[in-house]
Amino acid sequence: MDRLDELHVFIAILDAGSMASAARKLGRSPAAVTRMLSTLETRAGARLFERSTRRLTPTETGLRLAEQARRLLADYDAALQPPGAGTPRGLLRLTAPTAFGRRHVAPVVTRFLALHPDIQVDLTLSDRNVDLIEEGIDAALRIGALANLSLVARRLGEVRRVTVASPGYLDRRGTPLVPADLAGHELIMSTAVRSVAEWRFRADGREHVVRYSPRLRMNDVEAMLGAARDGFGIARALSYQVEPDLRAGMLRRLLVDYEPEPAPVHLVMPSSRHMAPRLRAFVDFAVREFAALDVIR
């Protein structure tokens, strides 16, 4: 039995979430897929999945094997390329936050694909912190401090959390000059960011927390900014989210001298060792492309 094929089937099961789905994807019988997984678990000397009636969940041993298997299969694919061809090929699985991905990552991906006709990309936009190894993701764009320090990261830039309001609102209610002035204003809160009614500012090199009672709470940033554009009140968002409205004059940036420290933007990957040519090509391209974006400087 081809042991590389065992790994290929194992990764298909992991990505599909069930042996039946993996069998359909691979064009094989469920019994054949089940036998190959059983053989691989015997060879590994441990269970690779915890079985339930609805889904297979990888064990720690399964996750470790998945990381090594993806590298091995990527190396195998690269080795089959003709000598000197230098043409990256194959499928890249990427993920990014929804709003940032829609505005900035998707255009980078399409420009990348225009240069690499033998590469396919599966881009998932989600604000969920995706487990790269468990879900078979090659690279993810992350905004903010990295929680998993085992990931390999390439810094792309940074974004700021900015306070904004419409010119009409400021003409009617006045412009806050210091964070304490917000107490006399209508405030709009995004519950998509945090559930605690507070904003953080920096003054004199120290962080200050301002707690408040918002008039309006929303779980969608675009809806929140729409209310701010309509003149309802003052809102807060990341710089890339409000950049089009600031440029168009529909919103104004407030309390610039009190903004908190910027949040880093990274492209993260499970490992840089044995990186597939297609992933290396995308990382190098993305670093160059994002360096030209003012919204993350």
Side-chain angles (χ1 to χ4, degrees):
M1 182 179 292
D2 187 338
R3 296 190 180 184
L4 278 177
D5 195 37
E6 288 179 354
L7 296 180
H8 180 63
V9 170
F10 167 63
I11 293 299
I13 296 170
L14 180 63
D15 292 343
S18 73
M19 282 183 277
S21 297
R24 286 193 296 271
K25 179 180 178 181
L26 296 171
R28 307 188 188 192
S29 70
V33 169
T34 300
R35 284 195 301 272
M36 292 192 78
L37 176 61
S38 177
T39 300
L40 186 59
E41 287 184 322
T42 299
R43 206 184 307 281
R47 292 175 68 87
L48 302 177
F49 292 98
E50 296 295 345
R51 277 78 161 169
S52 71
T53 56
R54 305 183 70 178
R55 186 173 177 83
L56 297 178
T57 302
T59 62
E60 288 189 12
T61 300
L63 291 176
R64 286 196 300 271
L65 177 61
E67 181 179 6
Q68 295 167 349
R70 290 187 196 279
R71 293 177 193 160
L72 182 60
L73 291 172
D75 287 347
Y76 180 73
D77 287 343
L80 293 179
Q81 294 186 32
T87 303
R89 64 183 73 242
L91 175 65
L92 272 179
R93 301 189 66 202
L94 310 173
T95 185
T98 303
F100 192 91
R102 186 185 301 122
R103 294 182 184 181
H104 302 298
V105 179
V108 168
V109 166
T110 55
R111 292 195 293 272
F112 174 74
L113 289 175
L115 297 175
H116 297 281
D118 294 322
I119 293 180
Q120 304 86 45
V121 170
D122 182 344
L123 173 62
T124 299
L125 301 183
S126 172
D127 294 323
R128 183 170 58 89
N129 197 12
V130 174
D131 186 306
L132 304 190
I133 296 175
E134 181 175 347
E135 301 195 29
I137 302 296
D138 295 298
L141 189 137
R142 297 273 167 85
I143 298 175
L146 296 178
N148 186 350
L149 298 181
S150 67
L151 297 174
V152 176
R154 290 286 297 272
R155 189 181 176 100
L156 301 178
E158 59 189 27
V159 295
R160 289 186 174 273
R161 191 164 296 282
V162 299
T163 307
V164 296
S166 71
Y169 175 86
L170 297 174
D171 290 342
R172 188 173 71 253
R173 297 292 303 274
T175 300
L177 301 178
V178 296
D181 291 345
L182 294 173
H185 284 271
E186 307 285 358
L187 304 182
I188 311 168
M189 177 184 172
S190 169
T191 56
V193 178
R194 59 173 67 242
S195 58
V196 179
E198 64 181 31
W199 285 347
R200 296 175 182 270
F201 295 91
R202 287 190 69 83
D204 303 322
R206 295 183 295 114
E207 185 177 69
H208 296 263
V209 177
V210 176
R211 292 181 171 83
Y212 60 96
S213 298
R215 284 290 310 282
L216 177 62
R217 298 172 185 255
M218 293 184 172
N219 69 344
D220 181 83
V221 172
E222 293 298 331
M224 178 192 70
L225 293 177
R229 287 192 296 268
D230 290 341
F232 179 81
I234 297 175
R236 215 169 192 213
L238 292 174
S239 51
Y240 76 87
Q241 295 168 332
V242 300
E243 187 267 342
D245 291 325
L246 294 174
R247 189 174 61 247
M250 300 181 71
L251 293 174
R252 291 181 184 169
R253 192 167 173 175
L254 310 173
L255 303 171
V256 175
D257 292 338
Y258 298 92
E259 289 175 355
E261 289 295 312
V265 178
H266 289 100
L267 193 64
V268 300
M269 298 144 284
S271 175
S272 61
R273 293 185 66 248
H274 308 297
M275 186 183 295
R278 58 185 175 272
L279 178 56
R280 189 176 302 280
F282 176 76
V283 171
D284 292 342
F285 181 82
V287 169
R288 294 193 301 270
E289 291 289 300
F290 281 109
L293 283 180
D294 291 336
V295 294
I296 64 167
R297 286 183 175 178

